[in-house]
Amino acid sequence: MKPKISIIGGTDGLGKWFARYLKNKGFEVIVSGRDVEKGKNVEKELGVKFTNNNIKAAQEGDVVIIAVPINVTERVIKEVAPHVKEGALLMDITSIKEIPAKTMEKYAKKGVVVIPTHPMFGPSTPSLLRQVVILTPSEEHKKSEWFKKVYNFLKEEGAKVIIIPPEKHDRIMGIVQGLTHYAFISLGATLKELNVDIKESRKFASPIYELMISIIGRIIGQNPYLYADIQMFNPKISEIHETFIDQCQKISEIVKNKDREAFVKIMKEASKHFGSEAKRGAYYSDKAVFALTSEIENLNKLIGKEIAVKNINSNKIHFGILKSIDDDYLTLEKNGNEKKFNILRVEVFSGEDLEKLKREHLKRKHIDLSILFKKDVDEHTILKLLKHIFDIEIVDVYEGENIEKGYKSITFRIYGYNKEELKNKEEEFLNIIKNIGGKERFSKIKKQ
């Protein structure tokens, strides 16, 4: 029998993501939250049980997952941990680990297994496949049956599992998340203070500046409260900030003093510290730059041609003729109507990929064209040649009454998705047929 899972704060964000995911895996799931209306909607949407009583949810769960914002995690743990039943599993999924780990160990009953956890992904992720999940249990809890079950479940779902102490986790995350966010938010704030017109600056941008602006935009466009909590609740952040500011001031003094050799020394020493990762960084950024430029080049080649555009958020697909490209936008034309799409938010399909999407999403039509050929003509050879140009098949070969002596009638079926397309294909087909000795009998457009 599968354990009952209670998710404290399971009506939103990653808590809701895990509620949906685990429910779909056959677990009985309880979610708690302060907003009753939102909770009832989640209950109906996911098929889980909702309560606005954290303690009640904790008492019922065989597995209790704390999924609340970082700034209230410690308080919520103190509230619910004493009510988690003996023999159960207590987890949290916040992005800091030292404080939650110590608090859960302190306030949980004896016999409750504690596994502080950090999923390194957000609620837009489709599954656990290839996602990193960090587990930071104590040595004692690492030996428990619950730990084996959690570890095996994550591995079976395709996740990459990392096991480290909570103190080491916070040190690494202070760099991976804390320093990264701090640096790029500082860059964004600097551009704001300098009153830089970002859109205007991109007209003069090098590929690396373009990448930098994109990363800044991505970070400052996220939930600022979450990012504030990552900075303010990781106990390792203070030392990291001080080191970063110290290095910024040091480089600023070097530049002020025009000490060229000191500047070169700092770069060389940093490069030496990176080792082979410096070259990897160059290759990686080259690839990113190439992807940015090659995408626009490829789109320019498709202007005037039919394409499909898929929104990466909604997965909605639009078909039409690519009319133009302007900055980050492409214009799609269909039946005389135009629609603009942000290139950065869509996938573009052409060629064989386009045809595959059309077959999956559009209602097919076809036109039947009966052509007279001399009896000794091999229709299969003709079909083989025509398949390079059309989506086509032979549906009938006929000799006899009403057919000119020495001839046979071959009926070809050409597929398309609208009358205009089929009309154009018919004209092209008949031009080819006339040049290889065929004569038209009749044609008819039909829906498939």
Side-chain angles (χ1 to χ4, degrees), residues 405-438:
K405 190 175 180 181
Y407 282 81
K408 60 184 175 183
S409 171
I410 305 172
T411 301
F412 296 90
R413 179 164 290 173
I414 302 175
Y415 293 96
Y417 297 93
N418 57 64
K419 287 185 178 181
E420 186 179 351
E421 180 186 2
L422 286 172
K423 185 179 178 183
N424 292 336
K425 286 185 175 183
E426 179 182 5
E427 289 178 8
E428 186 180 2
F429 173 83
L430 292 175
N431 283 334
I432 294 169
I433 289 300
K434 287 173 186 175
N435 285 313
I436 57 175

Side-chain angles (χ1 to χ4, degrees), residues 228-364:
D229 290 347
I230 288 171
Q231 295 293 322
M232 294 171 192
F233 286 90
N234 186 328
K236 309 298 182 184
I237 284 288
S238 181
E239 176 198 348
I240 292 165
H241 282 188
E242 288 171 9
T243 305
F244 179 76
I245 293 167
D246 180 61
Q247 289 303 303
C248 286
Q249 289 175 337
K250 185 177 179 181
I251 293 170
S252 181
E253 285 299 315
I254 287 171
V255 171
K256 218 178 275 182
N257 296 330
K258 294 185 168 48
D259 190 343
R260 195 163 179 256
E261 290 307 314
F263 189 95
V264 169
K265 183 183 177 185
I266 282 180
M267 282 191 66
K268 283 184 175 180
E269 287 177 350
S271 178
K272 186 179 178 181
H273 177 76
F274 268 61
S276 61
E277 290 299 310
K279 281 189 177 179
R280 183 181 181 277
Y283 297 149
Y284 194 89
S285 56
D286 281 348
K287 198 166 186 177
V289 169
F290 176 76
L292 286 170
T293 55
S294 63
E295 182 180 21
I296 298 300
E297 287 176 8
N298 290 334
L299 283 173
N300 277 315
K301 292 175 184 175
L302 293 172
I303 290 175
K305 297 180 181 178
E306 186 181 19
I307 62 168
V309 170
K310 181 180 180 182
N311 186 299
I312 62 176
N313 291 327
S314 67
N315 288 325
K316 190 173 181 181
I317 298 171
H318 304 263
F319 299 89
I321 304 298
L322 178 58
K323 186 176 180 183
S324 63
I325 298 166
D326 182 26
D327 289 333
D328 290 336
Y329 291 87
L330 63 82
T331 301
L332 201 65
E333 184 180 33
K334 185 177 181 181
N335 299 329
N337 298 316
E338 294 182 0
K339 190 168 184 178
K340 280 193 172 186
F341 296 89
N342 189 321
I343 294 168
L344 304 174
R345 306 306 301 159
V346 298
E347 286 183 77
V348 175
F349 300 85
S350 61
E352 290 182 8
D353 293 330
L354 169 63
E355 291 304 316
K356 184 180 176 183
L357 278 179
K358 286 169 75 173
R359 289 192 181 203
E360 289 174 0
H361 297 276
L362 296 180
K363 193 170 184 179
R364 273 173 116 200

Side-chain angles (χ1 to χ4, degrees), residues 144-190:
S144 69
E145 283 300 312
W146 273 120
F147 179 79
K148 291 175 188 174
K149 287 178 182 179
V150 170
Y151 180 85
N152 290 337
F153 173 79
L154 292 170
K155 294 297 286 186
E156 285 166 9
E157 294 299 309
K160 181 182 177 183
V161 183
I162 297 173
I163 306 162
I164 55 173
E167 298 81 7
K168 186 176 180 181
H169 167 278
D170 284 0
R171 169 74 180 176
I172 294 170
M173 285 303 113
I175 301 296
V176 172
Q177 290 183 319
L179 179 59
T180 302
H181 299 167
Y182 183 70
F184 281 103
I185 292 167
S186 297
L187 285 169
T190 301

Side-chain angles (χ1 to χ4, degrees), residues 61-269:
D62 301 307
V63 177
V64 179
I65 301 172
I66 310 294
V68 296
I70 296 171
N71 64 315
V72 296
T73 295
E74 187 177 7
R75 175 177 64 76
V76 172
I77 290 172
K78 289 177 181 179
E79 175 194 358
V80 304
H83 302 281
V84 176
K85 59 191 175 187
E86 189 176 337
L89 169 62
L90 178 60
M91 308 172 74
D92 81 294
I93 54 172
T94 51
S95 56
I96 61 167
K97 291 275 73 76
E98 196 172 349
I99 292 171
K102 287 178 179 176
T103 310
M104 287 190 288
E105 292 278 3
K106 181 178 178 180
Y107 286 90
K109 294 173 185 172
K110 189 175 180 181
V112 172
V113 174
V114 172
I115 305 179
T117 303
H118 183 188
M120 292 291 291
F121 55 87
S124 62
T125 305
S127 75
L128 286 169
L129 185 63
R130 292 189 293 274
Q131 301 303 319
V132 174
V133 180
I134 303 172
L135 306 178
T136 66
S138 66
E139 288 301 317
E140 178 189 350
H141 293 310
K142 204 186 293 184
K143 298 170 186 174
S144 69
E145 283 300 312
W146 273 120
F147 179 79
K148 291 175 188 174
K149 287 178 182 179
V150 170
Y151 180 85
N152 290 337
F153 173 79
L154 292 170
K155 294 297 286 186
E156 285 166 9
E157 294 299 309
K160 181 182 177 183
V161 183
I162 297 173
I163 306 162
I164 55 173
E167 298 81 7
K168 186 176 180 181
H169 167 278
D170 284 0
R171 169 74 180 176
I172 294 170
M173 285 303 113
I175 301 296
V176 172
Q177 290 183 319
L179 179 59
T180 302
H181 299 167
Y182 183 70
F184 281 103
I185 292 167
S186 297
L187 285 169
T190 301
L191 292 170
K192 177 254 179 189
E193 286 300 308
L194 292 172
N195 199 27
V196 174
D197 185 327
I198 305 300
K199 190 172 184 179
E200 178 73 14
S201 74
R202 288 178 64 238
K203 294 178 181 178
F204 309 93
S206 66
I208 295 301
Y209 179 82
E210 186 78 43
L211 278 176
M212 183 189 79
I213 289 296
S214 298
I215 295 168
I216 293 171
R218 179 184 178 87
I219 288 174
I220 62 175
Q222 303 298 317
N223 181 346
Y225 293 100
L226 171 62
Y227 277 57
D229 290 347
I230 288 171
Q231 295 293 322
M232 294 171 192
F233 286 90
N234 186 328
K236 309 298 182 184
I237 284 288
S238 181
E239 176 198 348
I240 292 165
H241 282 188
E242 288 171 9
T243 305
F244 179 76
I245 293 167
D246 180 61
Q247 289 303 303
C248 286
Q249 289 175 337
K250 185 177 179 181
I251 293 170
S252 181
E253 285 299 315
I254 287 171
V255 171
K256 218 178 275 182
N257 296 330
K258 294 185 168 48
D259 190 343
R260 195 163 179 256
E261 290 307 314
F263 189 95
V264 169
K265 183 183 177 185
I266 282 180
M267 282 191 66
K268 283 184 175 180
E269 287 177 350

Side-chain angles (χ1 to χ4, degrees), residues 44 49 54 63 110 160 166 378:
K44 187 176 178 181
K49 181 181 174 184
N54 287 343
V63 177
K110 189 175 180 181
K160 181 182 177 183
D378 181 6

